[in-house]
Amino acid sequence: MIIINRKNAIERATFLTQTSSLNAATIAVGEQLAGAAELSMDMAIAVLGNNQIAEMAGFLNDSKTCKELDVPCDGVGLDLDELREWGLTRKQYCVAHEIALVAHMVDRARTHHNVSTDTPRTLRAYSS
């Protein structure tokens, strides 16, 4: 069983301000799986062992909300045919699921701390 320390992954990914939240999450999770620090994106994907994991993480990040992802991976009904199409095992899907969730949480943290890799926008005079 793969255990990702979500809090550490979010802290690490939030620190990687010069990269997208999804890439930062992939790197942070890859570093935990490798037991190594300061991996590049390519190195993190190599640690994952299947670039489809990163692709699935991107798909989940785009298609699911933080709340939808914030459920244990084991509790998610998985379509085994879909997993086969993606070339993923259940365990690999769960890693992708965790990367997508960490990416959403990093987005939230960056918005909260006003750290962004986007071009600066005009500050609004009201708070949301």
Side-chain angles (χ1 to χ4, degrees):
M1 182 173 176
I2 296 173
I3 297 175
I4 304 296
N5 182 319
R6 189 177 295 161
K7 181 177 183 284
N8 288 353
I10 293 165
E11 285 175 7
R12 173 66 178 135
T14 303
F15 180 74
L16 298 169
T17 58
Q18 299 304 309
T19 187
S20 73
S21 59
L22 183 61
N23 287 355
T26 303
I27 290 167
V29 169
E31 287 176 350
Q32 282 192 30
L33 294 175
E38 300 193 23
L39 297 181
S40 67
M41 184 63 182
D42 289 340
M43 292 163 64
I45 289 175
V47 167
L48 297 176
N50 181 345
N51 67 344
Q52 289 298 100
I53 295 171
E55 295 292 327
M56 175 60 86
F59 172 76
L60 292 171
N61 187 53
D62 291 343
S63 64
K64 297 205 180 279
T65 65
C66 191
K67 185 173 181 156
E68 289 172 319
L69 290 166
D70 196 13
V71 295
C73 181
D74 299 343
V76 176
L78 296 177
D79 180 339
L80 297 179
D81 289 334
E82 189 177 352
L83 283 182
R84 272 196 287 294
E85 276 180 38
W86 280 87
L88 296 175
T89 65
R90 231 180 143 75
K91 190 189 303 186
Q92 290 170 328
Y93 173 85
C94 287
V95 171
H97 181 106
E98 191 66 19
I99 290 169
L101 177 58
V102 168
H104 273 285
M105 293 177 157
V106 168
D107 272 340
R108 187 180 295 165
R110 285 179 176 176
T111 301
H112 181 52
H113 295 296
N114 206 16
V115 175
S116 175
T117 57
D118 296 336
T119 53
R121 295 194 181 107
T122 307
L123 289 176
R124 295 186 181 106
Y126 58 90
S127 61
S128 53

